[in-house]
């Protein structure tokens, strides 16, 4: 009977993962191309001007991958194929985390019921690719016993920084923390050479970060004014990526998490590492913009850093023995996801063009032809 129950639970989790894979693919097919996706395709991919890095919306790694997939077809699905692939890998990693906690539904849902992250796996942007590369690195660092894993982890974090440049914060923090959590690292020539190599390779990315965040550059962080109260109750926006439409639900989730943290508190290597990693990241995301006079990362800019926060949640919720607490959190996350996630429009950009009105001359006259997503549909889809 126990074997049957175990198998049934494992099968259920695998089916849930498949459902989310289909959600990502269906959304990628149904959601019209957004402003940033169309701008990237028209200005960087179509012109092959991949290394025009003057603006923040050129996510280099994503742009290069879009250039490859667009060789086969320039439909929305093919342009978004790199993000879809990263989404499938992300879901697989969520499953692997769940396995580590005896096929835990709660651990799985920590990763899958974040509507903003799942939303971006259906969009041709670098945030999703960076997120998956970061989660892969974290999983390997925490759970892999391979003695040669470290160079690969650092490489993945550096590669992630090519997708979203500010992910260098994660790369440098992991390099720094490795010396503390691996006592022999400082005497390991192999580790030191790896660190030195990728720090040198990161120098151009550092310059790109300062270029795209110059004053008067169109950067997403500049567009939003967030009250101090909202920053606090959303944990600087990390919890806000889950509860995109409700501050109240953010507060409820934070209170529940703190309650569980103190009620089921225990010391573990993963909890210590995840706590230090998250709070160092949080400090860097606050202090670095203050020092250099740059905007704070908000909303979608936080997505690549979410695996760090998710690892902290895993270390907290993985200790829960109380089934009621688990059910309450799962219900809260599921309720929020159902009412936040939309298969036909982006959470950030909404639906700026109604593809069901193709050929409608009255609707066509109302379109702003200067917008890149409109240009894409006029030029390649015979929209009007």
């Amino acid at each position: 009977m126990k074997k049957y129950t175990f198998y049934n639970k494992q099968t259920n989790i695998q089916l849930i993962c498949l459902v989310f894979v289909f959600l990502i693919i269906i959304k990628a097919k149904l959601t019209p191309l957004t402003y940033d996706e169309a701008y990237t395709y028209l200005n960087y991919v179509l012109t092959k001007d991949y290394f025009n890095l003057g603006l923040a919306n050129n996510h280099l790694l994503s742009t290069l991958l879009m250039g490859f997939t667009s060789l086969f077809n320039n439909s929305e699905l093919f342009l978004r194929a790199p993000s879809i692939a990263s989404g499938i890998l992300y879901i697989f990693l969520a499953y692997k985390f769940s396995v580590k906690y005896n096929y835990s539904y709660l651990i799985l849902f920590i990763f899958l019921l974040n509507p903003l992250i799942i939303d971006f796996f259906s969009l041709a942007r670098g945030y999703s690719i960076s997120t998956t590369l970061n989660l892969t690195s974290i999983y390997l660092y925490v759970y892999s016993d391979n003695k040669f894993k470290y160079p690969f982890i650092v490489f993945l974090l550096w590669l992630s920084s090519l997708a979203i440049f500010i992910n260098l914060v994660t790369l440098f923090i992991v390099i720094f923390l490795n010396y503390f959590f691996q006592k022999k690292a400082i005497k390991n020539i192999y580790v030191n050479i790896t660190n030195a190599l990728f720090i040198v390779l990161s120098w151009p990315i550092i310059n790109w970060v300062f270029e795209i965040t110059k004053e008067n550059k169109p950067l997403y962080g500049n567009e939003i004014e967030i009250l101090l109260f909202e920053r606090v109750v959303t944990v600087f926006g990390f919890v806000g990526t889950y509860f995109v439409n409700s501050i109240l639900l953010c507060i409820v989730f934070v209170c529940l998490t703190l309650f569980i943290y103190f009620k089921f508190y225990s010391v573990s290597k993963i909890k210590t590492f995840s706590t230090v990693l998250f709070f160092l990241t949080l400090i860097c995301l606050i202090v670095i913009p203050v020092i250099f006079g740059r905007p704070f990362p908000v909303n979608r800019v936080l997505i690549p850093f979410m695996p760090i926060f998710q690892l902290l949640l895993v270390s907290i919720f993985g200790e829960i023995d109380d089934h009621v607490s688990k059910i309450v959190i799962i219900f809260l996350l599921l309720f929020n996801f159902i009412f936040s996630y939309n298969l036909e429009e982006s959470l950030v950009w909404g639906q700026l063009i109604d593809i069901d009105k193709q050929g409608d001359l009255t609707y066509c006259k109302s379109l702003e032809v200067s917008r890149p997503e409109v240009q894409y549909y006029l030029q390649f889809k015979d929209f009007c």
Side-chain angles (χ1 to χ4, degrees):
M1 186 68 179
K2 288 184 178 179
K3 289 184 178 180
Y4 174 78
T5 303
F6 178 81
Y7 174 78
N8 189 48
K9 191 175 181 182
Q10 178 183 0
T11 303
N12 289 342
I13 285 181
Q14 291 171 346
L15 288 173
I16 291 169
C17 289
L18 282 175
V19 167
F20 275 84
V21 168
F22 284 119
L23 279 179
I24 288 171
I25 296 172
I26 292 168
K27 182 177 174 65
K29 178 66 177 175
L30 296 180
T31 302
L33 218 63
T34 63
Y35 183 101
D36 279 14
E37 291 177 290
Y39 189 97
T40 297
Y41 177 67
L42 295 176
N43 290 278
Y44 307 130
V45 175
L46 198 61
T47 61
K48 301 191 184 303
D49 192 12
Y50 300 114
F51 292 93
N52 180 355
L53 302 170
L55 297 178
N57 63 355
N58 185 3
H59 300 167
L60 181 58
L61 181 59
S62 176
T63 302
L64 290 170
L65 292 172
M66 283 175 68
F68 174 73
T69 57
S70 66
L71 293 174
F72 302 95
N73 196 294
N74 68 352
S75 68
E76 299 94 331
L77 199 62
F78 273 82
L79 294 180
R80 291 164 170 169
S83 288
I84 294 170
S86 66
I88 293 171
L89 177 56
Y90 176 90
I91 292 169
F92 173 73
L93 289 166
Y95 170 76
K96 294 293 287 183
F97 270 98
S98 175
V99 170
K100 294 293 181 182
Y101 289 86
N102 194 27
Y103 296 94
S104 167
Y105 290 110
L106 178 55
I107 299 302
L108 181 75
F109 288 144
I110 286 171
F111 296 97
L112 298 189
L113 294 181
N114 184 307
L116 194 62
I117 292 178
I118 300 301
D119 189 72
F120 268 89
F121 284 128
S122 300
L123 304 178
R125 309 301 298 136
Y127 304 108
S128 51
I129 296 170
S130 182
T131 300
T132 298
L133 290 172
N134 286 351
L135 187 60
T136 306
S137 303
I138 288 171
Y139 181 86
L140 292 174
Y141 192 89
V142 173
Y143 294 116
S144 175
D145 294 323
N146 191 310
K147 62 180 180 179
F148 299 113
K149 68 180 181 179
Y150 184 73
F152 185 59
I153 289 168
V154 175
F155 168 72
L156 289 178
L157 291 173
W158 178 80
L159 197 63
S160 173
S161 302
L162 290 179
I164 299 295
F165 298 153
I166 62 170
N167 187 63
L168 282 177
V169 170
T170 308
L171 171 62
F172 292 148
I173 289 175
V174 168
I175 288 174
F176 174 73
L177 286 182
N178 188 60
Y179 285 116
F180 284 89
F181 285 92
Q182 303 296 329
K183 299 301 181 183
K184 296 181 180 179
I186 198 163
K187 297 179 181 179
N188 190 320
I189 296 176
Y190 194 55
V191 169
N192 290 324
I193 290 174
T194 298
N195 292 342
L197 174 63
F198 283 99
I199 288 172
V200 171
L201 289 174
S202 298
W203 182 249
I205 304 176
I206 294 172
N207 290 327
W208 295 335
V209 171
F210 280 95
E211 175 62 29
I212 65 177
T213 57
K214 281 181 178 177
E215 192 174 355
N216 299 323
K217 288 275 187 174
L219 186 67
Y220 189 70
N222 283 328
E223 298 173 9
I224 295 179
E225 289 294 332
I226 299 178
L227 298 175
L228 179 61
F229 170 77
E230 184 174 340
R231 289 191 184 277
V232 171
V233 299
T234 63
V235 191
F236 199 70
F238 281 93
V239 177
T241 65
Y242 282 94
F243 306 98
V244 291
N245 298 318
S246 175
I247 293 295
L248 178 60
L249 290 181
C250 284
I251 295 171
V252 172
F253 182 80
V254 169
C255 290
L256 274 172
T257 303
L258 290 174
F259 170 77
I260 290 166
Y261 177 82
F262 289 110
K263 182 177 180 181
F264 299 99
Y265 180 79
S266 64
V267 178
S268 67
K269 187 176 180 181
I270 293 177
K271 182 172 285 185
T272 302
F273 174 73
S274 63
T275 302
V276 174
L277 177 61
F278 175 71
F279 281 103
L280 267 182
T281 302
L282 188 61
I283 290 168
C284 288
L285 294 180
I286 295 172
V287 172
I288 292 174
V290 170
I291 292 174
F292 294 102
R294 297 308 195 257
F296 292 117
V298 296
N299 197 278
R300 65 181 185 260
V301 184
L302 288 173
I303 290 176
F305 301 102
M306 281 304 297
I308 296 170
F309 182 62
Q310 289 169 327
L311 181 66
L312 178 62
L313 294 179
V314 166
S315 71
I316 295 171
F317 295 147
E319 305 292 335
I320 299 178
D321 293 324
D322 182 16
H323 289 291
V324 175
S325 298
K326 290 181 179 180
I327 292 170
V328 170
I329 296 169
I330 289 173
F331 176 78
L332 183 65
L333 291 171
L334 184 60
F335 172 83
N336 172 74
F337 186 87
I338 291 171
F339 287 96
S340 300
Y341 190 71
N342 190 320
L343 284 172
E344 296 184 343
E345 64 180 56
S346 160
L347 276 171
V348 173
W349 290 276
Q351 189 182 60
L352 299 173
I353 186 167
D354 188 347
I355 55 178
D356 291 331
K357 293 187 177 180
Q358 182 172 359
D360 187 328
L361 295 180
T362 304
Y363 178 72
C364 286
K365 290 178 181 178
S366 68
L367 295 173
E368 296 180 46
V369 294
S370 62
R371 295 186 65 89
E373 69 272 36
V374 175
Q375 292 175 19
Y376 168 83
Y377 282 100
L378 291 176
Q379 185 175 349
F380 297 105
K381 299 297 179 182
D382 296 323
F383 192 80
C384 295

